[in-house]
């Protein structure tokens, strides 16, 4: 196949195959895109091309669907996704200030990836740790009672970890 | 279901055919409801709401392009309230439009401008946010300007439903919605075939051709070079429309005269090299029929089709004739044969082509089309660009006295004239192939079976006992359908003509925008243009390419014979498979699965 990472291609192809026998198979496009995002964390272009072939849907049209829904990531996310909680409790406790600090520190916006490909920022809605608000999450690990400085410290820890790997 | 039902429009009862939309019924009764996103040849989008009408019993206005009539329906099309609502709708569209009409390519023939005028919009009530996108200049033929786009979606439906290319679609949402290729990649790198039908169908200037008129005016002023021009057949059948003349006027000689007035030193006729294309292509066909090479042979003169083939049909490239298009045969001859004859330094020749086509701009840039390291065709302008230049230079085109084309590349047969209409290349090729092969005169040279606007046409003939089956498709959507048949039954046809544009070159992406009461793709308009070419063929005393004395002389003096080494060097080419990202792939898929 075409993509840099072929791991999930067969899985996706099989998934599509189960949909193609249904009436109006093209109506399953969104389900297929969900599957791809679940496996790759985003929608790689090569995989969209592959879906175009397998499902008989023009790539320009799939691209239209993928860009319509905010849920879909179109860029490869960073190695570490910083999920900053903007749920009510965290928000009240000033998580937007933390978000601003992180954005400034990494020089990227929400949904973008740092140039070195290490970090990306994503908003999250209540991760169930309101008691420690404001919180952020990296790799399923929750960091609470944050201040802007603390958040940046945590991020730098991950950077060092990455450099030592 | 009854066939006729009674409807009331604006207080008066009418009997109309059942099963129509309000708009269709109103059209048939002479009520023209304003519209923007609707086009009779495309699916109904219902996106613009300009076509709203009042239906008794309905709380809201309904979109007449999408609303079906039923017996007893009472419709109002022009109440004061409706007029106000429509005007608001158009104003809102205008609101985030650049409104730079006076510097816009389509000033004077823009549907939006016209609509605003008819709606009676005389002052601005809203000031909306403007879009601010870069122009997509990546294609050699087509410019995409999202700032001018009003999101009617006609281009998207054209590209998908008529052309089967699906290079573009809506992306993003809300105010950020943009019509773009997959992955927002540049048009020039997408699956686009550069046919320019998006330009023809666009109501504004969101798609326009890459314009070379300024550059050309400057060249025309340069006395150190020899300016040589050639004109394609379909140009003469349509250019008059740009000057308000009735469609179907053949402006062959007027065009030659105007080009000389613009400053060209030599004015040649692409029809001359169309005859030459037939000599080469018919000979190639006869070779293949005798077992040398793949069948079916597919014509190669249409650059939109060639772009499409290289992207969608890589494994069929061997089926495509290696003969270059008439344009790309003429230019190398001008820089060799003609230059030698006139004792001109070929480096000094500036070769211009006037084409009904946007894809020809791409074709002229192909690196394989060079001659002795010179670019063969230096510049291509469309019919629209030429019409503009003639107006801009103050030439009275309507009253100009016609002039003949120059020698030695200005004479042509009637067979060359009909190249401009779907089926014409095939008809011309058959006239010559038959006579070259059998040595007999063909009596019925007008092949009615492959004339007309039906999407796919078939015909047959007998070559010394062997049955030859031919097929013709115009519009890439029809080409896809025909090639699907060929995939299933590779022996079904021997010879196939494909033209990317609906109607062939007469419906090309570079032809004049239709005048006020006509719409793009109008079948009558296409038929009238076709008629102009068929009549010209009938009036010509020479109707077979191999009887063109100038072509015969060219072979005698220079090329020797069809398919000679010299011919191969100058007049033939090859194709390369291209794999753009975002390939549509319904075709690829069909190929892979042999469906
Ligand atoms: S609102 Fe942030 S964890 Fe609940
Ligand atoms: S023309 Fe009917 S909604 Fe646009």
């Amino acid at each position: 196949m075409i993509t840099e990472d072929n791991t999930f291609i067969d899985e996706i192809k099989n998934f599509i195959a189960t949909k193609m026998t249904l009436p109006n198979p093209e109506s399953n496009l969104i389900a297929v895109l969900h599957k791809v995002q679940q496996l790759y964390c985003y929608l790689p272009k090569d995989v969209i091309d592959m879906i175009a072939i397998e499902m008989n849907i023009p790539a320009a049209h799939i691209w239209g669907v993928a860009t319509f829904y905010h849920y879909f990531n179109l860029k490869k996310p960073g190695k570490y996704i910083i999920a900053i909680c903007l749920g009510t409790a965290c928000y009240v406790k000033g998580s937007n200030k933390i978000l601003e600090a992180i954005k400034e520190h990494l020089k990227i916006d929400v949904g973008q990836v740092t140039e070195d490909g290490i970090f990306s920022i994503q908003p999250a809605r209540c991760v169930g740790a309101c008691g420690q608000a404001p919180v952020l999450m990296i790799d399923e690990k929750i960091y609470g009672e944050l201040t802007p400085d603390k958040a940046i410290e945590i991020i730098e820890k991950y950077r060092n970890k990455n450099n030592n790997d | 279901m009854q066939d006729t039902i009674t409807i009331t429009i604006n207080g008066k009862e009418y009997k109309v055919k059942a099963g129509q939309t309000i708009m269709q019924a109103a059209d048939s009764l002479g009520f023209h409801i304003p519209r923007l996103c609707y086009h009779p040849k495309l699916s109904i989008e219902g996106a613009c709401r300009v076509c709203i009408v009042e239906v008794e019993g309905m709380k809201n206005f309904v979109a007449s392009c999408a609303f079906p009539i039923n017996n007893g329906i009472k419709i109002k099309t022009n109440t004061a309230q409706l007029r106000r609502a429509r005007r608001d709708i158009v104003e809102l569209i205008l609101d985030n439009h650049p409104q730079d009409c006076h510097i816009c390519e389509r000033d004077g023939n823009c549907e939006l401008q016209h609509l605003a005028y008819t709606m009676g919009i005389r002052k601005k009530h809203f000031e909306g946010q403007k879009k601010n996108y870069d122009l997509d200049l990546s294609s050699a033929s087509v410019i995409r300007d999202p700032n001018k786009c009003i999101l009617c979606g006609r281009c998207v439906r054209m590209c998908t439903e008529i052309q089967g290319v699906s290079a573009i679609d809506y992306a993003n949402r809300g105010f950020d919605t943009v019509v773009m290729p997959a992955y927002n990649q540049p048009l020039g790198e997408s699956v686009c075939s550069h046919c320019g039908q998006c330009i023809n169908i666009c109501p504004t200037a969101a798609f326009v051709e890459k314009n070379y008129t300024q550059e050309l005016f400057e060249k025309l002023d340069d006395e150190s070079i020899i300016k040589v021009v050639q004109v394609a057949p379909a140009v003469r059948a349509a250019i008059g429309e740009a000057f308000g003349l009735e469609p179907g006027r053949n402006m062959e000689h007027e065009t030659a005269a105007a080009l000389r007035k613009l400053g060209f030193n030599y004015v040649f006729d692409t029809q001359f090299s169309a005859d030459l294309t037939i000599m080469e292509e018919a000979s190639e066909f006869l070779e293949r029929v005798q077992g040398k090479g793949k069948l079916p042979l597919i014509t190669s003169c249409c650059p939109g089709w060639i772009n499409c083939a290289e992207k969608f049909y890589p494994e069929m490239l061997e089926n495509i004739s290696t003969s270059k298009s008439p344009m790309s045969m003429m230019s190398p001859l001008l820089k060799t044969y003609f230059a030698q004859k006139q004792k001109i330094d070929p480096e000094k020749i500036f070769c211009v082509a006037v084409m009904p086509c946007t894809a020809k701009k791409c074709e002229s840039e192909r690196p394989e089309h060079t001659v002795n390291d010179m670019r063969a065709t230096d510049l291509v302008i469309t019919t629209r660009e030429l019409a503009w230049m003639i107006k801009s230079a103050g030439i009275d085109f309507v009253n100009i006295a016609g002039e003949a084309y120059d020698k030695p590349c200005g004479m042509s047969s009637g067979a060359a004239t009909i190249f401009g209409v779907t089926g014409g290349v095939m008809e011309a090729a058959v006239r010559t192939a038959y006579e070259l092969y059998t040595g007999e005169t063909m009596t019925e040279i007008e092949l009615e079976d492959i004339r007309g606007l039906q999407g796919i046409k078939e015909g047959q003939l007998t070559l010394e006992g062997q049955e030859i089956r031919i097929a013709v498709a115009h519009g890439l959507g029809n080409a896809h359908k025909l090639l699907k048949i060929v995939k299933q039954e590779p022996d079904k046809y021997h010879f196939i003509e494909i033209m990317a544009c609906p109607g062939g070159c007469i419906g090309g992406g570079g032809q004049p925008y239709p005048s006020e009461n006509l719409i793009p793709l109008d079948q009558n308009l296409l038929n009238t243009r076709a008629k102009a070419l068929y009549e010209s063929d009938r009036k010509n005393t020479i109707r077979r390419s191999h009887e063109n004395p100038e072509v015969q002389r060219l072979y005698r003096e220079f090329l020797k014979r069809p398919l000679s080494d010299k011919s191969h060097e100058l007049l033939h080419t090859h194709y390369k498979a291209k794999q753009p990202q975002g390939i549509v792939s319904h075709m690829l898929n069909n190929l892979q699965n042999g469906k």
Side-chain angles (χ1 to χ4, degrees), chain B residues 410-565:
Chain B
M411 188 174 202
S412 58
S413 75
T417 308
I418 60 175
F419 257 61
V421 46
T422 163
V425 175
M426 180 61 78
E427 187 169 326
V430 166
R431 290 181 191 176
T432 288
Y434 182 87
E435 299 198 355
L436 290 187
Y437 195 73
T438 62
E440 292 162 18
T441 309
M442 196 169 168
T443 43
E444 293 292 323
I445 57 167
E446 294 184 6
L447 305 184
E448 288 301 334
D449 288 349
I450 53 169
R451 291 187 174 192
L453 291 178
Q454 208 189 314
I456 296 176
K457 297 167 281 187
E458 292 177 321
Q460 59 184 51
L461 61 142
T462 321
L463 276 189
E464 299 201 323
Q466 189 183 351
E467 188 189 67
I468 301 292
R469 294 175 298 275
I470 57 180
V472 171
H474 60 113
L476 287 173
N478 291 319
H480 294 319
K481 281 186 209 141
L482 178 59
L483 292 175
K484 197 167 174 180
I485 300 176
V486 174
K487 286 276 146 193
Q488 288 161 341
E489 297 170 70
D491 299 330
K492 179 148 184 175
Y493 305 108
H494 299 88
F495 200 177
I496 291 174
E497 177 203 291
I498 294 180
M499 295 293 157
C501 289
C505 311
I506 48 167
Q511 292 284 57
Y513 292 116
S515 56
E516 214 182 281
N517 297 317
L518 290 169
I519 52 170
L521 290 180
D522 185 284
Q523 303 294 288
N524 289 333
L525 177 62
L526 290 177
N527 275 323
T528 333
R529 289 177 182 170
K531 212 169 128 220
L533 296 182
Y534 283 128
E535 265 169 17
S536 169
D537 165 40
R538 209 161 291 148
K539 280 196 212 129
N540 203 324
T541 45
I542 302 167
R543 299 186 68 186
R544 296 158 175 85
S545 298
H546 53 283
E547 290 175 356
N548 179 338
E550 290 291 344
V551 167
Q552 291 170 348
R553 187 151 81 130
L554 170 68
Y555 277 112
R556 240 183 0 255
E557 292 179 2
F558 189 68
L559 295 169
K560 307 272 185 305
R561 71 201 123 68
L563 309 181
S564 69
D565 288 349

Side-chain angles (χ1 to χ4, degrees), chain B residues 23 35-38 46-51 63 65:
Chain B
M23 185 183 279
R35 62 201 69 183
L36 204 46
C37 67
Y38 172 80
C48 74
R49 316 313 283 181
V50 169
C51 67
C65 69

Side-chain angles (χ1 to χ4, degrees), chain B residues 384-415:
Chain B
R384 277 191 296 265
E385 286 168 272
L386 176 61
W388 180 84
M389 287 183 78
I390 294 173
K391 286 180 195 169
S392 182
I395 296 168
D396 181 3
F397 189 64
V398 176
N399 298 307
I400 205 168
E403 292 174 13
Y405 287 80
D406 282 310
K407 285 189 171 160
C409 304
M411 188 174 202
S412 58
S413 75

Side-chain angles (χ1 to χ4, degrees), chain A residues 85 87-90 126-130:
Chain A
C85 179
T88 315
C90 290
C126 187
V127 296
C130 310

